[in-house]
Amino acid sequence: MESTLLSLAHGFSVALQFDNLWYAFIGCLVGTLVGVLPGIGPLSGISILLPVTFGLNATQAVIMLAGIYYGSQYGGSTTSILMRIPGEASSVMTCIDGHAMAKKGRAGAALCIAAVGSFVAGTFGIVVLTVIAPPLATIALKFGPPEYTALLVMGLIFLAYMSSTSLVRTLAMASLGLMLGMIGIDNMTGHFRYSFDLNELGDGLSIVPVAVGLFGVGEILSTPSHKIAGDVISPRFRELLPTRQEWREASWPIARGSVLGFIIGIIPGSAHIISSFLSYALERRLSKTPGEFGKGAVAGVAGPESANNSASTGAFVPMLALGIPTGPITAVLIGALMIHGVPAGPALVTEHRDLFWGFVASMYVGNVMLLLLNLPLVSVFVSVLRIPYTYLYPLIIMFCIVGVYEVNHSTVDIWIMLIMGALGYALRKFDFDPAPLVLGLVIAPLFEQSLRQSLIMSAGHYAIFFTRPIACGLLIVCAILLAASAFSFFFKRKDWRDQLAEAEAGEGQS
Amino acid sequence: MKLYADHVAGGFFMVLGAVVIALSGDLPFGQMSMPGAGFMPVLIAVLLIVFGAALILRARENRPFSDIGWDDGRHAAQVLAITVVAVALYATLGFVITMTLMMAFILIVIERRNVLRAAAYSVVVVVTTYVVFVHLLQSPLPGGILGD
């Protein structure tokens, strides 16, 4: 524990350097804007700004990009509360009671509770991350190819199990991502695979054009400009402070949301989205006045907002300690580290201490910045919402093109982005979530390498996955999850997703 | 037989899996003790076929294909078409000209905005972005016929 505190103190000495503070501030500011603006999420925001980090060192780059991620969780609440439009998918639940509070004249209080809840949960998440990531990384150093294979399989199964769409749909999308990850030179034999004589495809599909296409262009194509409209409720600064009663109603939901969000954040999947849904359902169930939910319940804002921020911090644990992405955003962050020549995973904690601890400390600083940014400057962010979407989306398309081009200075990447944009549009029509595809693409090389190495180690015997305790334990978890899904599949039992959907449908009608 | 959305989606995954297997003919599959370059792609292609079949089997649990709303399709196709033309001209005409034209076209042709206002907005936004990227962030953008 003492060494952790000493390392953290060293991290603060890195994070508090002027340059690092500046990039944390830029990340938080851009993240808040990304969260506020409909039609652009944290993934496209991070992907578009990835090339901007090429001139920075790895620590500055990851501090800025992570700032965009957790900043967007803060910003997403603003549009949800003031316009009833979720600026970010994880803010959907905040729309319900946040906007109802705004209509009752408590917009400022709702924004303040969301910001304070986000701050408390974010800080809680970072404290836990500080404590558990280093020992987890030490354990991960003992992992060999079979353990990594089992861990990645478990990640995919967890992702599918936790996904808001069906298990089959999620696994199909992840398989499609894995398939796209096969394009390019095979690292172990040097064979060209599916590159169709295009030199640019030799290194495989880069994550940036795929992510920007699916989430940036795809979102714009699916969002006709005439559908983005709404009145903005402008809170006055003096209305920002909640009453004593509102603080009392918010305190336990914030505490519960922080713990729940962190736990879910560690599990692969769209953690910050699921955590806000589950927190809302939990608060409603625990409430003495469940009838208030949907009509401006403080707990309906405090719980989900805390949960999604804590989850976004929790998602960094497997990324930093194991090198495993829990979702597309952490996948892009791993990609960013790799571009800067830094491997995510146990080696990050042990061999790049400046980066790891500087990054952890910067999250403490970033959370304070976000609190200071989001409360006094709420009227500034509200004014951004007054820019008509008609003028905004051509700008976003331009940034998508520039962002993708700047990675490799290749127009082939822009064509890939456009193809992925069209695919993203079609996927939304057919109710497929594109996130598992991105995750599949990122883990494909590691998955293939660890699987093939495991088979070589065991002379082709699959028993190697069952004779090694850690790998076997991870696969048992997979079997339990698959059995649970199969049970509901064959016996038409309602699992937690169906029950939650029903609860929310009932909420929507009330 | 009524066509459901997942019939189409499942069919897509199955066809894709079959195409991948067909394209993998030249790649060595290897042996289990020494998997080759074709091992993993074929494994994933089989998974695609399996998941595609599962989608088709349970297609009736989701909505019919005819229920998918394509009312935004025209807007999406227009935006995509203008962007495709812009990308095709991007390296030749350069960032400033291509992006100004693309933004102005979207605003004037698709969104029916005032021509002067749309043109002014496009020029200001593109030039500002160019200055920020090239001079502040030191990140070069293609100059095209205007040169670097």
Side-chain angles (χ1 to χ4, degrees):
Chain A
M1 190 65 194
E2 195 179 333
S3 66
T4 303
L5 289 175
L6 282 173
S7 301
L8 186 61
H10 172 66
F12 272 107
S13 72
V14 175
L16 293 174
Q17 287 168 12
F18 178 77
D19 282 0
N20 294 339
L21 275 177
W22 171 246
Y23 288 111
F25 172 75
I26 296 285
C28 292
L29 181 67
V30 173
T32 305
L33 284 171
V34 161
V36 165
L37 293 172
I40 180 166
L43 186 63
S44 31
I46 290 172
S47 305
I48 291 166
L49 286 168
L50 186 58
V52 173
T53 67
F54 290 172
L56 313 178
N57 65 42
T59 309
Q60 293 166 342
V62 78
I63 283 175
M64 189 176 102
L65 295 174
I68 298 174
Y69 178 32
Y70 52 78
S72 68
Q73 309 300 317
Y74 271 73
S77 59
T78 307
T79 33
S80 303
I81 291 167
L82 302 180
M83 292 176 77
R84 211 178 197 278
I85 294 173
E88 216 271 305
S90 61
S91 306
V92 170
M93 301 319 290
T94 314
C95 283
I96 302 171
D97 284 280
H99 193 69
M101 277 180 78
K103 283 205 289 192
K104 288 198 287 190
R106 303 300 298 153
L111 285 167
C112 185
I113 285 167
V116 172
S118 300
F119 171 74
V120 172
T123 309
F124 168 81
I126 301 160
V127 171
V128 184
L129 170 95
T130 309
V131 175
I132 68 169
L136 194 60
T138 311
I139 295 168
L141 283 171
K142 294 173 186 157
F143 280 23
E147 284 76 21
Y148 264 104
T149 308
L151 190 64
L152 290 167
V153 171
M154 190 186 78
L156 287 175
I157 304 277
F158 246 124
L159 174 76
Y161 186 74
M162 296 296 287
S163 168
S164 52
T165 61
S166 78
L167 186 100
V168 174
R169 299 174 101 74
T170 310
L171 288 178
M173 291 307 296
S175 302
L176 186 56
L178 287 171
M179 194 67 247
L180 293 176
M182 295 296 112
I183 294 172
I185 299 172
D186 172 28
N187 287 334
M188 293 176 81
T189 62
H191 277 90
F192 269 77
R193 297 189 294 203
Y194 321 111
S195 50
F196 305 106
D197 296 328
L198 281 169
N199 288 336
E200 287 86 347
L201 292 182
D203 288 336
L205 288 189
S206 163
I207 186 171
V208 175
V210 175
V212 173
L214 286 171
F215 291 92
V217 179
E219 187 70 39
I220 286 168
L221 295 179
S222 327
T223 315
S225 47
H226 62 85
K227 286 191 179 171
I228 297 286
D231 295 329
V232 186
I233 299 170
S234 294
R236 272 168 284 186
F237 186 70
R238 61 187 161 83
E239 291 172 353
L240 280 175
L241 276 186
T243 61
R244 190 169 292 184
Q245 174 65 20
E246 284 169 335
W247 279 127
R248 262 200 296 271
E249 288 175 29
S251 53
W252 278 109
I254 288 174
R256 282 189 289 265
S258 302
V259 178
L260 179 75
F262 189 85
I263 294 167
I264 294 173
I266 297 174
I267 301 167
S270 301
H272 53 290
I273 303 170
I274 296 164
S275 64
S276 63
F277 274 78
L278 286 183
S279 170
Y280 189 85
L282 178 72
E283 292 309 328
R284 191 163 172 260
R285 180 157 290 186
L286 293 177
S287 173
K288 288 173 186 161
T289 52
E292 278 298 303
F293 277 71
K295 297 169 189 164
V298 173
V301 178
E305 275 302 310
S306 307
N308 73 37
N309 273 273
S310 192
S312 58
T313 313
F316 286 125
V317 173
M319 176 201 140
L320 293 171
L322 307 175
I324 304 282
T326 50
I329 296 170
T330 43
V332 175
L333 286 172
I334 287 177
L337 284 172
M338 285 161 71
I339 287 171
H340 284 89
V342 178
L348 179 71
V349 184
T350 53
E351 291 168 24
H352 299 270
R353 294 175 60 79
D354 273 11
L355 193 155
F356 176 77
W357 287 107
F359 170 60
V360 170
S362 83
M363 291 205 283
Y364 287 97
V365 179
N367 262 282
V368 177
M369 279 182 185
L370 282 167
L371 190 67
L372 297 177
L373 262 179
N374 275 263
L375 287 180
L377 298 183
V378 69
S379 53
V380 177
F381 293 121
V382 167
S383 64
V384 173
L385 290 171
R386 296 189 200 284
I387 301 172
Y389 182 71
T390 303
Y391 282 92
L392 208 56
Y393 83 82
L395 187 67
I396 298 171
I397 294 177
M398 183 186 75
F399 279 122
C400 289
I401 292 173
V402 173
V404 167
Y405 181 81
E406 289 297 287
V407 178
N408 293 319
H409 292 269
S410 158
T411 42
V412 172
D413 279 353
I414 311 181
W415 290 117
I416 292 169
M417 177 195 78
L418 289 182
I419 293 167
M420 289 297 148
L423 178 66
Y425 173 78
L427 289 174
R428 281 170 177 81
K429 291 288 171 197
F430 285 87
D431 302 324
F432 282 88
D433 178 6
L437 189 157
V438 178
L439 196 65
L441 175 70
V442 173
I443 66 168
L446 180 60
F447 189 35
E448 180 180 25
Q449 188 179 323
S450 55
L451 177 61
R452 285 166 71 182
Q453 282 177 343
S454 303
L455 289 173
I456 292 168
M457 280 167 67
S458 65
H461 295 295
Y462 280 100
I464 192 170
F465 298 112
F466 303 102
T467 51
R468 295 170 66 119
I470 297 175
C472 184
L474 294 169
L475 289 177
I476 287 172
V477 176
C478 296
I480 292 169
L481 290 173
L482 285 176
S485 286
F487 186 76
S488 59
F489 183 94
F490 288 112
F491 296 98
K492 311 283 183 214
R493 290 288 177 89
K494 289 174 184 170
D495 66 7
W496 65 271
R497 281 178 293 252
D498 304 312
Q499 289 169 10
L500 197 60
E502 277 182 12
E504 299 322 329
E507 193 60 59
Q509 287 157 10
S510 63
Chain B
M1 190 186 103
K2 194 170 184 179
L3 188 67
Y4 285 79
D6 279 358
H7 283 137
V8 179
F12 166 78
F13 283 110
M14 290 186 77
V15 169
L16 182 69
V19 168
V20 169
I21 290 172
L23 288 174
S24 305
D26 293 341
L27 296 171
F29 187 85
Q31 298 162 335
M32 293 310 281
S33 57
M34 186 59 76
F39 171 78
M40 194 72 180
V42 171
L43 189 70
I44 299 167
V46 171
L47 286 177
L48 284 172
I49 293 171
V50 170
F51 293 134
L55 280 172
I56 290 173
L57 281 175
R58 295 194 67 173
R60 285 171 190 277
E61 291 174 17
N62 275 311
R63 55 186 173 152
F65 182 70
S66 55
D67 280 6
I68 298 177
W70 298 98
D71 52 328
D72 55 357
R74 184 183 158 86
H75 180 268
Q78 286 174 329
V79 172
L80 196 60
I82 289 178
T83 313
V84 164
V85 174
V87 172
L89 298 172
Y90 189 63
T92 315
L93 294 183
F95 170 80
V96 173
I97 296 178
T98 319
M99 289 299 112
T100 307
L101 289 175
M102 182 192 79
M103 290 185 69
F105 256 84
I106 290 177
L107 289 170
I108 296 165
V109 177
I110 301 178
E111 301 299 338
R112 310 258 176 226
R113 298 286 132 172
N114 177 285
V115 175
L116 276 179
R117 193 180 294 176
Y121 173 78
S122 306
V123 170
V124 169
V125 161
V126 171
V127 171
T128 308
T129 308
Y130 185 82
V131 170
V132 168
F133 267 80
V134 174
H135 296 290
L136 291 181
L137 300 171
Q138 304 284 314
S139 187
L141 292 167
I145 54 173
L146 293 180
D148 297 327

